[in-house]
Amino acid sequence: MSTFINEALSKKPKYLFRGKDDYLAIFENEAVVKSITPDFIKLASLNCRGVIISAIGDKFDFVSRFFAPQTGINEDPVTGSAHTMLTPYWAKQFDKEDLEAHQLSKRGGKLNCRLASDRVFISGDSIIYFEGTISIV
């Protein structure tokens, strides 16, 4: 599977992990994560929800991108669920519980991540893009 993912990302990660829903590929640095142009057709054929790519950041503890073409989202702008996998990984690498993250999508997003025992807490700024009312009958 690693060869297939390497081809789909056109780069070989330093490490590749399989989580419950996603693959996590760790790269050398932020520049490599920014430079990746994935083959979405290949990624869509994987038997998983998506592929997270990540590295130590230049200005943040870590950076990431998330690709999920098999769910209809080639690249998600900011993915909280991906950070539930990223936070424990990077907390262990840095030996600290509080981390600053940046998702490097076109829109981008900054997240504050905290690992507390077996729980991940994520916060950050957001904007309202939709308002509505739900009626249950």
Side-chain angles (χ1 to χ4, degrees), residues 26-40:
I26 303 296
F27 289 91
E28 294 78 21
N29 56 50
E30 182 173 323
V32 173
V33 171
K34 284 181 181 177
S35 74
I36 290 177
T37 305
D39 181 332
F40 293 118

Side-chain angles (χ1 to χ4, degrees), residues 66-127:
F66 181 71
F67 310 117
Q70 55 277 69
T71 63
I73 302 168
N74 282 345
E75 183 167 1
D76 193 45
V78 183
T79 317
S81 61
H83 285 77
T84 64
M85 187 172 179
L86 288 162
T87 300
Y89 175 82
W90 288 113
K92 183 176 180 181
Q93 302 308 306
F94 289 115
D95 192 28
K96 64 181 191 176
E97 296 174 343
D98 293 299
L99 301 158
E100 292 183 325
H102 187 220
Q103 192 154 331
L104 299 173
S105 64
K106 185 176 180 181
R107 187 182 88 196
K110 299 171 187 170
L111 302 99
N112 301 308
C113 305
R114 177 171 173 65
L115 180 63
S117 187
D118 64 345
R119 306 218 14 130
V120 172
F121 295 91
I122 301 168
S123 63
D125 295 331
S126 64
I127 59 169

Side-chain angles (χ1 to χ4, degrees), residues 18-23 47-51 66 70 81 85:
R18 170 65 192 211
K20 179 181 175 192
D21 298 317
D22 305 314
Y23 282 95
N47 185 20
C48 67
R49 181 186 68 152
V51 176
F66 181 71
Q70 55 277 69
S81 61
M85 187 172 179

